[in-house]
Amino acid sequence: FLEKQSCRLADHVIVTNQSYKNIDVQRSGIPDNRITIVRNGPDLDALKQINLNNIPRDSSKVMIGYVGFNCFQDDVDYLIRALYYLGYQLNLTNFNGIVIGDGDALPEIRRLTEELRLSDYVSFCGWIEHSRVGDYLSPVDICVAPEPSNPYNDRCTMIKLMDYMAHAKPIAAFDLPEHRASAADAALYASANDEKALAHNIAQLMNNPQQRAALGQAGRKRVESSLAWSYQEKELLKAYANVVGVKTA
């Protein structure tokens, strides 16, 4: 009720993606011309020079990374179970995993990591400032978005995907509607909520450096051509101008 009243009383509504626009049109009856999509886009001008020496790594191993919150809705346990399957079922142990971020679920994720005998393979960096994400992503070979399909995640634009693409990193992710809308051909998509399928996709990328490079470049190109903040900023300013009655170029 409060959502509908807020939308109906607003002179203009700003949403972060097409999924949320569809919800407001269908559920709250907002006309299309009163809604503007302003996506969460990386500011390429603000990206700092990456310090390649910041994170030590074993060059003989593939580094698999996750950046983001470790809350219960993020379901990082899917990543941990996928890494278990990768190492103990597919017998691919030439990897190091790095989990960057903090959250309420982190103690449970650490416990699961120990339980699945992955402590020698996965390290936890804790919380870092967003301005330092580039330093931590610089040695990562494969980035993972392990959010499972559910009514919440299916409609969310994940900032981690934008960070991965901005830094030209290949992505392994579950096949969620907004994941595809964001990453398009910059990711390998596994059947939703199937950690074994996710592990197989990670394995494919581990064994194919050329594919990793191609996906990474595809993601960077998407950011540079349409997803960067410089494009989103224009849509935001148009929405403000529409409200106050100012014409824009």
Side-chain angles (χ1 to χ4, degrees):
F1 172 80
L2 292 175
E3 175 190 312
K4 289 180 180 179
Q5 298 311 310
S6 296
C7 289
R8 289 174 179 174
L9 289 172
D11 294 299
H12 204 83
V13 177
I14 296 172
V15 294
T16 56
N17 59 39
Q18 186 65 47
S19 292
Y20 284 122
K21 179 177 180 178
N22 293 342
I23 288 176
D24 282 342
V25 170
Q26 297 165 8
R27 192 158 67 190
S28 299
I30 307 303
D32 185 83
N33 62 358
R34 281 179 50 209
I35 301 179
T36 297
I37 297 175
V38 181
R39 296 176 61 87
N40 287 316
D43 185 351
L44 295 179
D45 293 333
L47 291 179
K48 290 187 175 181
Q49 180 67 36
I50 295 173
N51 177 7
L52 294 176
N53 297 317
N54 191 69
I55 304 297
R57 64 162 297 174
D58 182 348
S59 59
S60 67
K61 294 186 177 182
V62 176
M63 182 171 283
I64 301 166
Y66 169 89
V67 175
F69 289 108
N70 283 261
C71 300
F72 289 101
Q73 69 268 22
D74 299 298
D75 289 289
V76 182
D77 54 301
Y78 276 91
L79 169 61
I80 301 303
R81 291 195 297 271
L83 294 181
Y84 169 81
Y85 187 81
L86 185 72
Y88 289 97
Q89 300 298 319
L90 299 182
N91 297 315
L92 285 175
T93 58
N94 61 322
F95 73 87
N96 284 324
I98 179 172
V99 175
I100 304 165
D102 201 353
D104 295 341
L106 186 57
E108 178 65 18
I109 298 302
R110 287 180 175 273
R111 184 199 63 76
L112 180 63
T113 301
E114 295 177 0
E115 181 181 293
L116 295 181
R117 295 169 289 150
L118 290 170
S119 297
D120 291 337
Y121 296 96
V122 180
S123 59
F124 295 86
C125 293
W127 179 259
I128 63 169
E129 294 295 329
H130 191 259
S131 61
R132 298 185 63 202
V133 165
D135 289 345
Y136 282 78
L137 282 180
S138 64
V140 172
D141 299 296
I142 302 167
C143 289
V144 182
E147 298 84 7
S149 175
N150 58 46
Y152 176 74
N153 288 336
D154 286 353
R155 295 174 174 84
C156 287
T157 298
M158 303 299 176
I159 295 177
K160 65 174 66 65
L161 286 179
M162 300 299 176
D163 286 333
Y164 295 163
M165 289 189 289
H167 292 91
K169 299 299 179 179
I171 301 167
F174 286 131
D175 195 357
L176 277 56
E178 284 299 327
H179 279 11
R180 279 196 179 269
S182 296
D185 58 355
L188 281 188
Y189 299 99
S191 299
N193 307 4
D194 184 346
E195 61 258 29
K196 293 182 180 179
L198 183 63
H200 279 286
N201 281 2
I202 295 172
Q204 179 177 329
L205 291 174
M206 287 177 64
N207 292 323
N208 195 330
Q210 293 79 15
Q211 186 178 28
R212 297 203 302 265
L215 292 179
Q217 289 305 311
R220 177 70 186 195
K221 184 177 179 179
R222 278 187 60 74
V223 171
E224 292 177 344
S225 63
S226 63
L227 297 178
W229 177 246
S230 58
Y231 298 99
Q232 310 310 315
E233 181 182 43
K234 294 175 183 177
E235 297 303 314
L236 180 62
L237 293 177
K238 285 180 183 178
Y240 289 157
N242 180 62
V243 172
V244 298
V246 175
K247 292 184 178 180
T248 58

